[in-house]
Amino acid sequence: MMEYAWSKLTPKDALQIWQPKWITELDLRYLTHLYQPFIGQTATILYTTLFYEISPSNYYSEWFRIGDMLAVLNIGMAKFYEAKTRLEGIGLLKTYQLQKEDGNYYKLELIPPVAPDRFFRDPLLSSLLISQIGHQRFAILQRRYSIAKEYDESQEVTANFSDVFVAPFNVTDYQVDHYRNKHLMDSSDAEVPQLVEDTFNWELLYSLLKSQFVSKEFLTEEVKRVILTLHVQYGVSEEDMVPYIMYATDLSTGITDPDELMKLMLNSYEELQKTKKIAQKKSKQQAKKIEKIKNQATVNDIEAFKINLSYSDPAYSLVKVAKKMNCMEFLESIKKQRHGYVAASEQRVLRDLVDLSGLPSEVINILIHYILVVQDNTSLTKNFADAIANDWGQRQLKTAEDAVTVVRTREKEGQIKREQKVKQVTTKRNYQQKPPRIEKLPEWAKHENTAKDTPLADEKVAALKAKIAKLKSSQKEPEEG
């Protein structure tokens, strides 16, 4: 039986909330307008509730039980855990565990939301928001948090420091308390969520750009983040990435404009889909091979898997494909084989898995295969996918092989459980089956009939014959008259 990650939390576990960076009401406004559409209402309410547990004059709260928080939010442990992990995945919460004899203690650090200037420049956060509210609402929020300086032709006449202040003569006597400074609160922005780079080959991209006279030195960290978001969110390969980078690069200087690349990404999702279709047409032979492998990887194959993968193992082909394809392509290939399509809700589920679960793409691909093929579900549903992703994240699965082993073990345990259930039902039926009813004879029927026939006397026989003759004669008299 699968153990869910949230089952390790108990209502008796203690919580304490910290704010290492000072959070203001303005941060809560950013949270509501910019984060809530894609982290969800429950996660947003959890963040604000945790924040208000902190005293206005302090940076941490008193200790309290998880059960108290569940009562305040009116939710169960599974919903609480899901909301907490969504905040962690997006970079708004950090969790530290301390085990003591009387139970578990958790310190939760609230991280302030990213300010609008960084939020709208970040490709991952912007794409998450656009996918939920659309371009029109996104543009409205951009205008709302923009400042337009219209000072006509005026010139700045602001006084500087040296015009007003004179440095004190004893400034050299100031002693810096490094320990105290190290622990002072700051108001810097939160860190944006980090993307996993395991599936992207930067060296290949650099070599492709070099042939186009674009040096890798001009790819700043901001540009690299846009590139990585294109790859993770939309499955753009290194080869397909080159024309987009070229479009956003000034060939005279060789500098790539991250804002232009970001704008291109947000407005060209349909174009990206066309690019992927063209790439699929160029590799028909490979697609047929993948389809054949997919058709072989059925439920029966899962039951036949071995723990150690080998070239003869049916799971080897599945793992090979899971490592090679990005999540969207993998999902589309299974849907195509079933003559279906990837619904918008499934796209959102997949996007959350990629952005928030922390699982590598190859592990998410095995998760998709398990839900759609092994479990024979028609669609990728959020609750089921989140439950499995939380469990696998708790198990710290890093490779497709690890995921296949977990699936195989789960199927084997399920088969044993089903066999035990059938055995119990059969035993219960045999126990409840009633024996045939046997009727008991009454006492008088148990003894044999010992009575003997006794012949009549001659006189009685003669009298009976006389009566019979008289009856016959009386019946004939009316007919004669």
Side-chain angles (χ1 to χ4, degrees):
M1 182 177 180
M2 182 172 64
E3 181 182 3
Y4 296 112
W6 55 264
S7 61
K8 295 186 177 181
L9 297 175
T10 68
K12 293 183 178 180
D13 292 340
L15 297 177
Q16 188 180 46
I17 317 304
W18 290 65
Q19 53 170 354
K21 299 177 181 181
W22 203 267
I23 299 173
T24 66
E25 293 292 336
L26 188 58
D27 292 318
L28 299 184
R29 181 186 293 271
Y30 298 157
L31 176 75
T32 303
H33 287 164
L34 306 181
Y35 283 83
Q36 182 174 248
F38 57 85
I39 68 173
Q41 184 181 24
T42 304
T44 304
I45 296 175
L46 174 61
Y47 185 97
T48 55
T49 306
L50 294 175
F51 168 72
Y52 286 118
E53 285 292 324
I54 302 174
S55 171
S57 59
N58 211 334
Y59 57 92
Y60 61 89
S61 71
E62 300 292 334
W63 286 98
F64 60 92
R65 301 296 179 184
I66 292 181
D68 298 334
M69 181 58 60
L70 298 181
V72 170
L73 298 174
N74 194 23
I75 59 175
M77 187 67 77
K79 287 288 185 182
F80 171 81
Y81 181 83
E82 180 186 357
K84 185 175 77 72
T85 53
R86 292 181 77 85
L87 293 176
E88 293 169 347
I90 206 63
L92 294 175
L93 184 69
K94 291 183 179 180
T95 303
Y96 301 91
Q97 181 181 5
L98 179 63
Q99 292 183 338
K100 294 185 178 181
E101 294 181 357
D102 57 341
N104 293 322
Y105 290 75
Y106 296 93
K107 288 187 176 182
L108 305 183
E109 281 192 1
L110 287 178
I111 309 300
V114 173
D117 60 332
R118 290 186 62 196
F119 186 98
F120 289 113
R121 287 179 177 274
D122 185 76
L124 177 59
L125 295 174
S126 296
S127 63
L128 288 172
L129 183 58
I130 286 179
S131 65
Q132 293 294 324
I133 66 176
H135 288 273
Q136 184 176 2
R137 177 64 179 174
F138 183 81
I140 293 175
L141 290 175
Q142 276 187 313
R143 291 194 298 270
R144 178 177 297 177
Y145 289 106
S146 299
I147 300 176
K149 292 185 177 181
E150 299 180 359
Y151 297 154
D152 302 325
E153 299 179 356
S154 58
Q155 296 180 352
E156 184 178 4
V157 292
T158 307
N160 57 40
F161 176 83
S162 58
D163 294 335
V164 182
F165 297 97
V166 178
F169 291 104
N170 62 343
V171 68
T172 56
D173 297 333
Y174 174 69
Q175 300 294 326
V176 179
D177 188 343
H178 294 284
Y179 177 80
R180 182 173 296 277
N181 285 352
K182 184 178 179 181
H183 292 79
L184 288 175
M185 297 181 66
D186 64 66
S187 58
S188 57
D189 283 334
E191 296 180 359
V192 294
Q194 300 301 312
L195 295 169
V196 181
E197 303 184 31
D198 296 344
T199 60
F200 192 79
N201 190 338
W202 286 105
E203 294 301 324
L204 175 59
L205 178 64
Y206 294 151
S207 63
L208 293 172
L209 290 175
K210 187 177 181 180
S211 63
Q212 301 294 329
F213 306 103
V214 177
S215 175
K216 66 177 182 180
E217 282 75 17
F218 291 110
L219 297 182
T220 63
E221 292 300 321
E222 190 175 359
V223 173
K224 287 182 179 180
R225 183 168 177 81
V226 176
I227 293 173
L228 199 58
T229 300
L230 277 166
H231 173 69
V232 175
Q233 278 287 93
Y234 303 107
V236 183
S237 64
E238 293 82 355
E239 295 85 352
D240 296 333
M241 193 77 68
V242 173
Y244 294 99
I245 297 176
M246 295 299 299
Y247 186 87
T249 301
D250 186 346
L251 298 180
S252 60
T253 61
I255 299 176
T256 303
D257 184 0
D259 292 334
E260 185 65 26
L261 188 57
M262 174 68 182
K263 180 180 178 182
L264 179 65
M265 182 200 73
L266 297 177
N267 295 327
S268 62
Y269 178 73
E270 293 182 0
E271 192 67 29
L272 293 175
Q273 297 302 312
K274 293 179 182 178
T275 304
K276 291 193 330 185
K277 290 181 180 179
I278 294 174
Q280 290 175 355
K281 289 181 180 179
K282 292 181 180 179
S283 58
K284 287 184 179 180
Q285 185 176 1
Q286 181 182 0
K288 290 181 180 179
K289 183 179 179 181
I290 291 173
E291 185 174 357
K292 183 179 179 181
I293 292 172
K294 290 292 182 181
N295 290 333
Q296 291 175 349
T298 60
V299 178
N300 293 331
D301 293 329
I302 291 291
E303 294 175 354
F305 283 164
K306 301 174 183 178
I307 295 298
N308 297 319
L309 298 179
S310 63
Y311 289 101
S312 60
D313 192 335
Y316 179 82
S317 300
L318 176 61
V319 168
K320 189 175 180 181
V321 173
K323 289 177 176 290
K324 194 170 185 179
M325 300 177 70
N326 66 65
C327 298
M328 182 58 72
E329 288 177 340
F330 192 90
L331 178 59
E332 287 176 345
S333 68
I334 296 180
K335 286 288 186 173
K336 184 178 179 181
Q337 292 171 41
R338 297 191 168 194
H339 307 288
Y341 65 95
V342 180
S345 59
E346 292 179 297
Q347 293 181 13
R348 288 193 292 271
V349 172
L350 182 58
R351 192 159 45 241
D352 287 346
L353 289 175
V354 172
D355 297 337
L356 305 177
S357 69
L359 297 173
S361 298
E362 59 188 87
V363 175
I364 295 177
N365 286 342
I366 300 298
L367 186 151
I368 294 170
H369 181 271
Y370 175 71
I371 293 177
L372 297 182
V373 179
V374 180
Q375 293 293 320
D376 196 26
N377 290 304
T378 57
S379 61
L380 194 66
T381 57
K382 174 177 170 52
N383 291 338
F384 193 22
D386 284 346
I388 298 175
N390 282 327
D391 176 65
W392 289 10
Q394 189 73 15
R395 295 171 184 265
Q396 298 183 348
L397 303 187
K398 299 298 182 183
T399 65
E401 292 88 344
D402 295 339
V404 169
T405 301
V406 171
V407 169
R408 193 187 299 117
T409 303
R410 174 177 169 79
E411 289 298 305
K412 185 176 180 181
E413 291 175 351
Q415 180 64 27
I416 294 174
K417 187 176 180 180
R418 287 191 292 270
E419 291 177 355
Q420 291 177 346
K421 187 175 182 179
V422 171
K423 186 177 180 180
Q424 291 175 355
V425 171
T426 304
T427 304
K428 185 176 180 181
R429 287 179 178 176
N430 293 337
Y431 177 79
Q432 292 179 344
Q433 187 174 1
K434 296 181 179 181
R437 183 178 179 181
I438 301 175
E439 297 289 347
K440 294 184 178 180
L441 292 174
E443 291 296 328
W444 60 267
K446 294 180 181 180
H447 304 287
E448 294 184 1
N449 186 10
T450 56
K452 295 182 179 181
D453 294 334
T454 304
L456 295 174
D458 295 339
E459 295 82 3
K460 291 183 177 182
V461 173
L464 287 173
K465 288 181 177 181
K467 288 181 179 180
I468 293 171
K470 186 177 181 181
L471 289 171
K472 290 180 177 181
S473 61
S474 62
Q475 291 176 354
K476 293 180 179 180
E477 289 178 355
E479 295 180 359
E480 293 176 357

